[in-house]
């Protein structure tokens, strides 16, 4: 009976901490699996968190206001969801709730100005341990938009980085040729590479060229959605000539040019569940593409493009592991690799870390869940609209469920 009471007390402590309404001044998590710097995690690590920040790592058990038994649990940095529309859309079928598309967008189009920190999708996304997102808009042409990154604290103070990448698409078109898109991209790069004339008669620099100049200065990478190996090779030629950082998204045929990608140090975004050809550009899609690219020495980031189901990203990573990707590599492909690629901090835990997730077990296991989460040192909840609906229709009373309103 005493053991049962202890278990109940521990569960109560977890609930208070996760509710984001009560936070002990210090929290010690003893004996936890810890994803710090390097590939392999450390087991039986003892971690002291004070005001949402890791203050101490020790081989010895630590004391604090709240002590959590970390055995069987995992402590990781928050995951990063890359290349989605989070905060720019609510209901796909209702156009007025979508701000990611602008017909004449181009590289000057900055969708971060429309980011909604109160989006109902954000708490739901946090259920997948995701603390940050890299979000891109879209337009009618190949020059889609600027991409931005944001933390998922869902507050007016959310850390938002307006320019995280430039987003470009290259592939088969219903009308016109991809060759023209490559020519237009080259022309913009050549124009941006030219020094700005100081002559009073010189034409003002166009807004999109100003953004491309920042690309060439190394401020952010060019993120290109493309699948065909021949198209990837054309992009590598441009990278070599102009010296910009390149990230390939989609990349169904990347395994055929893996050696060149490795040589040019290009990071590849892989969607682990893409396993069927969607057209003649993506004939090479396989469930083991992530594993094959890793084995070939290519750095990868695992992605999920469905903004309404980003919390499933960790499950997709689990599928990549099932098809040969090493488990620890999959964890890094959700955290430290995207953090390094898009300049979003470390993506791993250390003293001073402020984006922290405590899991009930293996993050890639379907039955595991987020127990506690801190973003920028502040506790956040994973309680979402779906939870409120569940509670509403589980309640029993004299009135129909629609007349009840669960408290937040």
């Amino acid at each position: 009976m005493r053991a049962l009471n202890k278990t109940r007390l521990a569960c109560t402590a977890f609930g208070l901490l996760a509710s984001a309404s009560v936070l002990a001044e210090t929290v010690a998590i003893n004996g936890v699996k810890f994803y710090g710097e390097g590939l392999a995690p450390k087991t039986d690590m003892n971690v002291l968190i004070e005001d949402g920040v890791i203050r101490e790592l020790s081989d010895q058990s630590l004391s604090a206001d709240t002590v959590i038994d970390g055995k069987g649990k995992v402590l990781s940095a928050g995951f990063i969801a890359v290349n989605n529309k989070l905060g720019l859309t609510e209901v796909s079928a209702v156009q007025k709730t979508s701000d990611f598309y602008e017909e004449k967008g181009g590289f000057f189009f900055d969708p971060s100005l429309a980011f909604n920190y109160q989006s109902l999708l954000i708490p739901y996304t946090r259920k997948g341990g995701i603390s940050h997102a890299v979000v891109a808009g879209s337009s009618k042409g190949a020059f889609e938009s600027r991409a931005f990154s944001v933390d998922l604290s869902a507050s007016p103070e959310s850390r938002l980085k307006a320019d995280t990448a430039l987003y470009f698409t290259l592939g088969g078109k219903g009308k016109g040729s991809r060759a023209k898109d490559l020519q237009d991209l080259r022309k913009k790069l050549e124009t941006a590479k030219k020094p700005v004339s100081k002559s009073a008669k010189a034409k003002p620099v166009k807004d999109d060229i100003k953004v491309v100049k920042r690309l060439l200065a190394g401020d952010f990478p060019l993120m290109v959605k493309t699948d065909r190996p021949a198209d990837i090779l054309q992009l590598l030629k441009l990278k070599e000539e102009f010296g910009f950082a390149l990230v390939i998204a989609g990349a169904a045929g990347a395994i055929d040019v893996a050696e060149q990608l490795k040589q040019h140090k290009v990071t590849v975004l892989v969607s682990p569940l893409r396993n069927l050809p969607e057209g003649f550009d993506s004939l090479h899609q396989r469930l083991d593409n992530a594993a094959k690219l890793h084995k070939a020495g290519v750095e990868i980031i695992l992605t999920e493009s469905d903004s309404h189901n980003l919390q499933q990203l960790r499950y997709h990573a689990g599928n990549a592991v099932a098809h040969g990707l090493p488990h620890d590599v999959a964890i890094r492909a959700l955290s430290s690799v995207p953090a390094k690629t898009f300049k979003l901090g470390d993506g791993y835990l250390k003293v001073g870390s402020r984006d922290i997730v405590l899991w009930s077990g293996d993050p890639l296991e379907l039955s595991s869940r987020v127990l506690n989460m801190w973003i920028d040192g502040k506790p956040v909840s994973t309680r979402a609209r779906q939870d409120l609906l569940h509670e509403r229709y589980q309640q029993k009373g004299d009135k129909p469920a629609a007349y009840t309103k669960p408290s937040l």
Side-chain angles (χ1 to χ4, degrees), residues 206-225:
K206 293 182 178 180
D207 290 330
D208 60 338
I209 298 302
K210 291 179 182 177
V211 178
V212 178
K213 281 183 176 293
R214 294 183 58 202
L215 168 72
L216 297 181
D219 290 355
F220 40 72
L222 179 66
M223 182 168 65
V224 183
K225 183 181 179 184

PDB file of all heavy atoms in Angstrom, residues 206-225:
ATOM      1  N   LYS A 206      16.806  45.408 -56.322  1.00  0.00           N
ATOM      2  CA  LYS A 206      15.474  44.840 -56.102  1.00  0.00           C
ATOM      3  C   LYS A 206      15.425  44.106 -54.772  1.00  0.00           C
ATOM      4  O   LYS A 206      16.431  43.574 -54.295  1.00  0.00           O
ATOM      5  CB  LYS A 206      15.108  43.897 -57.248  1.00  0.00           C
ATOM      6  CG  LYS A 206      14.920  44.598 -58.588  1.00  0.00           C
ATOM      7  CD  LYS A 206      14.516  43.600 -59.669  1.00  0.00           C
ATOM      8  CE  LYS A 206      14.287  44.294 -61.001  1.00  0.00           C
ATOM      9  NZ  LYS A 206      13.905  43.331 -62.064  1.00  0.00           N
ATOM     10  N   ASP A 207      14.217  44.049 -54.195  1.00  0.00           N
ATOM     11  CA  ASP A 207      14.057  43.455 -52.870  1.00  0.00           C
ATOM     12  C   ASP A 207      14.481  41.991 -52.838  1.00  0.00           C
ATOM     13  O   ASP A 207      15.134  41.544 -51.888  1.00  0.00           O
ATOM     14  CB  ASP A 207      12.600  43.584 -52.412  1.00  0.00           C
ATOM     15  CG  ASP A 207      12.228  45.021 -52.105  1.00  0.00           C
ATOM     16  OD1 ASP A 207      13.113  45.788 -51.691  1.00  0.00           O
ATOM     17  OD2 ASP A 207      11.044  45.373 -52.268  1.00  0.00           O
ATOM     18  N   ASP A 208      14.111  41.204 -53.878  1.00  0.00           N
ATOM     19  CA  ASP A 208      14.467  39.790 -53.851  1.00  0.00           C
ATOM     20  C   ASP A 208      15.971  39.591 -54.004  1.00  0.00           C
ATOM     21  O   ASP A 208      16.542  38.656 -53.441  1.00  0.00           O
ATOM     22  CB  ASP A 208      13.694  39.010 -54.925  1.00  0.00           C
ATOM     23  CG  ASP A 208      13.982  39.508 -56.324  1.00  0.00           C
ATOM     24  OD1 ASP A 208      14.415  40.668 -56.465  1.00  0.00           O
ATOM     25  OD2 ASP A 208      13.771  38.744 -57.290  1.00  0.00           O
ATOM     26  N   ILE A 209      16.638  40.499 -54.723  1.00  0.00           N
ATOM     27  CA  ILE A 209      18.094  40.399 -54.883  1.00  0.00           C
ATOM     28  C   ILE A 209      18.791  40.712 -53.551  1.00  0.00           C
ATOM     29  O   ILE A 209      19.822  40.114 -53.217  1.00  0.00           O
ATOM     30  CB  ILE A 209      18.583  41.334 -55.997  1.00  0.00           C
ATOM     31  CG1 ILE A 209      17.955  40.927 -57.342  1.00  0.00           C
ATOM     32  CG2 ILE A 209      20.107  41.296 -56.098  1.00  0.00           C
ATOM     33  CD1 ILE A 209      18.239  39.498 -57.764  1.00  0.00           C
ATOM     34  N   LYS A 210      18.216  41.637 -52.781  1.00  0.00           N
ATOM     35  CA  LYS A 210      18.779  41.913 -51.458  1.00  0.00           C
ATOM     36  C   LYS A 210      18.784  40.652 -50.601  1.00  0.00           C
ATOM     37  O   LYS A 210      19.733  40.386 -49.860  1.00  0.00           O
ATOM     38  CB  LYS A 210      17.967  43.002 -50.763  1.00  0.00           C
ATOM     39  CG  LYS A 210      18.089  44.380 -51.383  1.00  0.00           C
ATOM     40  CD  LYS A 210      17.218  45.375 -50.630  1.00  0.00           C
ATOM     41  CE  LYS A 210      17.265  46.766 -51.253  1.00  0.00           C
ATOM     42  NZ  LYS A 210      16.368  47.722 -50.554  1.00  0.00           N
ATOM     43  N   VAL A 211      17.707  39.873 -50.699  1.00  0.00           N
ATOM     44  CA  VAL A 211      17.619  38.627 -49.922  1.00  0.00           C
ATOM     45  C   VAL A 211      18.642  37.620 -50.433  1.00  0.00           C
ATOM     46  O   VAL A 211      19.304  36.926 -49.644  1.00  0.00           O
ATOM     47  CB  VAL A 211      16.187  38.048 -50.004  1.00  0.00           C
ATOM     48  CG1 VAL A 211      16.107  36.735 -49.238  1.00  0.00           C
ATOM     49  CG2 VAL A 211      15.172  39.033 -49.457  1.00  0.00           C
ATOM     50  N   VAL A 212      18.808  37.516 -51.751  1.00  0.00           N
ATOM     51  CA  VAL A 212      19.775  36.576 -52.319  1.00  0.00           C
ATOM     52  C   VAL A 212      21.198  36.972 -51.945  1.00  0.00           C
ATOM     53  O   VAL A 212      22.060  36.113 -51.740  1.00  0.00           O
ATOM     54  CB  VAL A 212      19.604  36.483 -53.848  1.00  0.00           C
ATOM     55  CG1 VAL A 212      20.647  35.540 -54.453  1.00  0.00           C
ATOM     56  CG2 VAL A 212      18.205  35.994 -54.206  1.00  0.00           C
ATOM     57  N   LYS A 213      21.460  38.264 -51.833  1.00  0.00           N
ATOM     58  CA  LYS A 213      22.777  38.704 -51.372  1.00  0.00           C
ATOM     59  C   LYS A 213      23.078  38.163 -49.976  1.00  0.00           C
ATOM     60  O   LYS A 213      24.215  37.778 -49.668  1.00  0.00           O
ATOM     61  CB  LYS A 213      22.847  40.240 -51.364  1.00  0.00           C
ATOM     62  CG  LYS A 213      23.076  40.861 -52.746  1.00  0.00           C
ATOM     63  CD  LYS A 213      23.211  42.364 -52.643  1.00  0.00           C
ATOM     64  CE  LYS A 213      23.546  42.988 -53.999  1.00  0.00           C
ATOM     65  NZ  LYS A 213      24.890  42.604 -54.488  1.00  0.00           N
ATOM     66  N   ARG A 214      22.066  38.112 -49.140  1.00  0.00           N
ATOM     67  CA  ARG A 214      22.259  37.557 -47.797  1.00  0.00           C
ATOM     68  C   ARG A 214      22.509  36.049 -47.859  1.00  0.00           C
ATOM     69  O   ARG A 214      23.253  35.494 -47.039  1.00  0.00           O
ATOM     70  CB  ARG A 214      21.040  37.871 -46.931  1.00  0.00           C
ATOM     71  CG  ARG A 214      20.871  39.370 -46.657  1.00  0.00           C
ATOM     72  CD  ARG A 214      19.704  39.614 -45.740  1.00  0.00           C
ATOM     73  NE  ARG A 214      19.881  38.893 -44.487  1.00  0.00           N
ATOM     74  CZ  ARG A 214      18.882  38.564 -43.669  1.00  0.00           C
ATOM     75  NH1 ARG A 214      17.633  38.884 -43.998  1.00  0.00           N
ATOM     76  NH2 ARG A 214      19.119  37.930 -42.564  1.00  0.00           N
ATOM     77  N   LEU A 215      21.875  35.382 -48.812  1.00  0.00           N
ATOM     78  CA  LEU A 215      22.160  33.957 -49.030  1.00  0.00           C
ATOM     79  C   LEU A 215      23.630  33.760 -49.359  1.00  0.00           C
ATOM     80  O   LEU A 215      24.305  32.893 -48.783  1.00  0.00           O
ATOM     81  CB  LEU A 215      21.280  33.421 -50.163  1.00  0.00           C
ATOM     82  CG  LEU A 215      21.640  32.036 -50.708  1.00  0.00           C
ATOM     83  CD1 LEU A 215      21.282  30.950 -49.693  1.00  0.00           C
ATOM     84  CD2 LEU A 215      20.943  31.772 -52.041  1.00  0.00           C
ATOM     85  N   LEU A 216      24.156  34.573 -50.278  1.00  0.00           N
ATOM     86  CA  LEU A 216      25.557  34.452 -50.679  1.00  0.00           C
ATOM     87  C   LEU A 216      26.509  34.859 -49.562  1.00  0.00           C
ATOM     88  O   LEU A 216      27.664  34.423 -49.529  1.00  0.00           O
ATOM     89  CB  LEU A 216      25.820  35.295 -51.927  1.00  0.00           C
ATOM     90  CG  LEU A 216      25.045  34.874 -53.190  1.00  0.00           C
ATOM     91  CD1 LEU A 216      25.406  35.758 -54.365  1.00  0.00           C
ATOM     92  CD2 LEU A 216      25.314  33.411 -53.520  1.00  0.00           C
ATOM     93  N   ALA A 217      26.018  35.675 -48.638  1.00  0.00           N
ATOM     94  CA  ALA A 217      26.847  36.085 -47.492  1.00  0.00           C
ATOM     95  C   ALA A 217      26.888  35.012 -46.409  1.00  0.00           C
ATOM     96  O   ALA A 217      27.624  35.148 -45.424  1.00  0.00           O
ATOM     97  CB  ALA A 217      26.324  37.392 -46.915  1.00  0.00           C
ATOM     98  N   GLY A 218      26.087  33.959 -46.577  1.00  0.00           N
ATOM     99  CA  GLY A 218      26.089  32.863 -45.613  1.00  0.00           C
ATOM    100  C   GLY A 218      25.137  33.033 -44.459  1.00  0.00           C
ATOM    101  O   GLY A 218      25.247  32.322 -43.449  1.00  0.00           O
ATOM    102  N   ASP A 219      24.184  33.955 -44.583  1.00  0.00           N
ATOM    103  CA  ASP A 219      23.240  34.191 -43.479  1.00  0.00           C
ATOM    104  C   ASP A 219      22.287  33.019 -43.279  1.00  0.00           C
ATOM    105  O   ASP A 219      21.811  32.774 -42.163  1.00  0.00           O
ATOM    106  CB  ASP A 219      22.430  35.462 -43.725  1.00  0.00           C
ATOM    107  CG  ASP A 219      23.273  36.718 -43.590  1.00  0.00           C
ATOM    108  OD1 ASP A 219      24.456  36.590 -43.209  1.00  0.00           O
ATOM    109  OD2 ASP A 219      22.757  37.814 -43.862  1.00  0.00           O
ATOM    110  N   PHE A 220      21.969  32.301 -44.359  1.00  0.00           N
ATOM    111  CA  PHE A 220      21.034  31.180 -44.295  1.00  0.00           C
ATOM    112  C   PHE A 220      21.222  30.324 -45.549  1.00  0.00           C
ATOM    113  O   PHE A 220      21.846  30.755 -46.521  1.00  0.00           O
ATOM    114  CB  PHE A 220      19.584  31.669 -44.193  1.00  0.00           C
ATOM    115  CG  PHE A 220      19.267  32.858 -45.050  1.00  0.00           C
ATOM    116  CD1 PHE A 220      19.178  32.739 -46.435  1.00  0.00           C
ATOM    117  CD2 PHE A 220      19.080  34.109 -44.483  1.00  0.00           C
ATOM    118  CE1 PHE A 220      18.897  33.830 -47.235  1.00  0.00           C
ATOM    119  CE2 PHE A 220      18.800  35.217 -45.276  1.00  0.00           C
ATOM    120  CZ  PHE A 220      18.711  35.077 -46.653  1.00  0.00           C
ATOM    121  N   PRO A 221      20.699  29.091 -45.538  1.00  0.00           N
ATOM    122  CA  PRO A 221      20.850  28.208 -46.699  1.00  0.00           C
ATOM    123  C   PRO A 221      19.720  28.370 -47.708  1.00  0.00           C
ATOM    124  O   PRO A 221      18.673  28.963 -47.410  1.00  0.00           O
ATOM    125  CB  PRO A 221      20.799  26.812 -46.075  1.00  0.00           C
ATOM    126  CG  PRO A 221      19.882  26.985 -44.900  1.00  0.00           C
ATOM    127  CD  PRO A 221      20.142  28.373 -44.378  1.00  0.00           C
ATOM    128  N   LEU A 222      19.946  27.851 -48.896  1.00  0.00           N
ATOM    129  CA  LEU A 222      18.895  27.696 -49.900  1.00  0.00           C
ATOM    130  C   LEU A 222      18.305  26.307 -49.716  1.00  0.00           C
ATOM    131  O   LEU A 222      19.012  25.300 -49.841  1.00  0.00           O
ATOM    132  CB  LEU A 222      19.466  27.846 -51.305  1.00  0.00           C
ATOM    133  CG  LEU A 222      18.464  27.672 -52.465  1.00  0.00           C
ATOM    134  CD1 LEU A 222      17.435  28.793 -52.462  1.00  0.00           C
ATOM    135  CD2 LEU A 222      19.195  27.612 -53.809  1.00  0.00           C
ATOM    136  N   MET A 223      17.027  26.233 -49.380  1.00  0.00           N
ATOM    137  CA  MET A 223      16.336  24.960 -49.195  1.00  0.00           C
ATOM    138  C   MET A 223      15.525  24.676 -50.460  1.00  0.00           C
ATOM    139  O   MET A 223      14.612  25.434 -50.794  1.00  0.00           O
ATOM    140  CB  MET A 223      15.432  25.013 -47.963  1.00  0.00           C
ATOM    141  CG  MET A 223      14.708  23.715 -47.658  1.00  0.00           C
ATOM    142  SD  MET A 223      13.943  23.707 -46.012  1.00  0.00           S
ATOM    143  CE  MET A 223      12.704  25.005 -46.177  1.00  0.00           C
ATOM    144  N   VAL A 224      15.878  23.602 -51.151  1.00  0.00           N
ATOM    145  CA  VAL A 224      15.267  23.297 -52.442  1.00  0.00           C
ATOM    146  C   VAL A 224      14.521  21.976 -52.368  1.00  0.00           C
ATOM    147  O   VAL A 224      15.104  20.944 -52.014  1.00  0.00           O
ATOM    148  CB  VAL A 224      16.321  23.214 -53.563  1.00  0.00           C
ATOM    149  CG1 VAL A 224      15.637  22.972 -54.911  1.00  0.00           C
ATOM    150  CG2 VAL A 224      17.157  24.479 -53.607  1.00  0.00           C
ATOM    151  N   LYS A 225      13.243  22.032 -52.712  1.00  0.00           N
ATOM    152  CA  LYS A 225      12.475  20.793 -52.802  1.00  0.00           C
ATOM    153  C   LYS A 225      12.629  20.235 -54.208  1.00  0.00           C
ATOM    154  O   LYS A 225      12.171  20.834 -55.187  1.00  0.00           O
ATOM    155  CB  LYS A 225      11.001  21.042 -52.492  1.00  0.00           C
ATOM    156  CG  LYS A 225      10.186  19.747 -52.498  1.00  0.00           C
ATOM    157  CD  LYS A 225       8.722  19.992 -52.204  1.00  0.00           C
ATOM    158  CE  LYS A 225       7.952  18.673 -52.241  1.00  0.00           C
ATOM    159  NZ  LYS A 225       6.514  18.850 -52.051  1.00  0.00           N
TER     160      LYS A 225
END
